[in-house]
Amino acid sequence: MNKRNRIIYVLLLIILVSSCKHKEEEYHSITDKIEAKSKNYHGVSVSSEDFFDDIKMIKISEGDHTFLIPERKSKIKSYACTECHTKPLNKLQSKDFKKAHWDIVLNHADKKTMSCTTCHNEKNMDELKSLTGLKIDFNKSYNLCSQCHSKQFKDWKGGAHGKKIGGWAPPRASMTCVNCHNPHKPHFESRWPARFNTQKIKERK
């Protein structure tokens, strides 16, 4: 190594050494900063359980995600269904029986695609059923929705879709599909925001 190269080498070494000097609150990378700042982190004191009130929760696990959801069956006014559905559905559908559920209008998919028994188990009305005939508990009706709405289901179980109970405070508690959407008519009606420019009201008339 000639004299010139040695000088360049020494200068580079000095630059490298001097560049590593930093003040107490400066960091080499964002990772170093996060690690340094989180050394004394011991979690949060607030809990989502403070917001449950009288909501009965059940724990579920979906893939790598475990969290709480509201229990459903006790909130269904007409459950258990077998209190009235004492026979298979095809035996109850006759002129001798008064039509039930007259107040429910199915507006979920095309009539050629979906009927009541697409989701409800006609052999045991206390259960739902998958498209392949597997039993689905009413408390886990999201498994029914996930068959067609797979993208929303993936986002929901990961925490990106749906409303949280108690925000992001642990333990994680999330509303399910039917807590926000009417399963027979899931589409939200268009509506104006609660607050908007009054001048726009005049312009829309």
Side-chain angles (χ1 to χ4, degrees):
M1 184 182 292
N2 58 39
K3 186 177 180 181
R4 184 185 174 198
N5 288 342
R6 281 201 299 269
I7 292 171
I8 293 172
Y9 178 78
V10 171
L11 287 172
L12 287 173
L13 190 61
I14 292 170
I15 292 170
L16 286 172
V17 171
S18 62
S19 66
C20 289
K21 292 181 179 179
H22 55 79
K23 297 178 183 178
E24 188 176 344
E25 289 298 318
E26 293 179 353
Y27 307 94
H28 290 294
S29 66
I30 188 66
T31 305
D32 290 344
K33 183 176 182 179
I34 292 171
E35 289 177 353
K37 293 286 186 180
S38 60
K39 279 182 180 178
N40 298 319
Y41 178 72
H42 302 293
V44 295
S45 58
V46 66
S47 170
S48 63
E49 294 175 345
D50 298 335
F51 302 90
F52 291 173
D53 295 325
D54 61 342
I55 304 174
K56 183 180 178 182
M57 309 296 288
I58 58 174
K59 183 184 283 189
I60 63 165
S61 292
E62 289 296 332
D64 297 330
H65 308 282
T66 298
F67 52 100
L68 301 171
I69 62 170
E71 186 271 341
R72 173 74 174 157
K73 292 179 191 175
S74 63
K75 298 297 181 181
I76 301 174
K77 187 177 180 180
S78 54
Y79 194 86
C81 305
T82 49
E83 290 177 0
C84 296
H85 287 270
T86 54
K87 299 178 181 179
L89 189 60
N90 61 349
K91 293 184 179 180
L92 289 173
Q93 292 174 325
S94 69
K95 295 179 181 179
D96 299 330
F97 287 91
K98 185 179 179 180
K99 185 178 180 181
H101 305 302
W102 56 269
D103 57 330
I104 296 177
V105 177
L106 183 60
N107 186 13
H108 195 135
D110 188 274
K111 290 182 179 179
K112 295 179 181 179
T113 306
M114 178 179 280
S115 67
C116 302
T117 54
T118 303
C119 301
H120 291 276
N121 187 345
E122 65 269 29
K123 295 179 181 177
N124 182 357
M125 297 301 283
D126 285 341
E127 297 170 339
L128 301 167
K129 68 170 185 177
S130 71
L131 295 173
T132 55
L134 297 176
K135 297 176 182 179
I136 295 177
D137 190 274
F138 269 91
N139 282 337
K140 296 185 177 181
S141 59
Y142 56 84
N143 284 320
L144 192 64
C145 309
S146 68
Q147 297 174 114
C148 299
H149 306 284
S150 56
K151 182 180 182 297
Q152 289 84 350
F153 175 68
K154 182 180 179 181
D155 290 343
W156 173 75
K157 68 180 181 179
H161 183 94
K163 187 176 181 180
K164 303 286 182 296
I165 303 172
W168 292 99
R172 178 188 161 191
S174 296
M175 295 290 195
T176 66
C177 314
V178 294
N179 293 127
C180 297
H181 299 271
N182 179 339
H184 302 110
K185 188 181 179 183
H187 177 71
F188 289 125
E189 297 293 335
S190 298
R191 54 186 175 183
W192 296 114
R195 297 178 63 187
F196 54 92
N197 194 322
T198 53
Q199 179 61 33
K200 290 294 181 183
I201 301 176
K202 297 176 183 178
E203 293 175 4
R204 292 180 185 123
K205 289 182 179 179

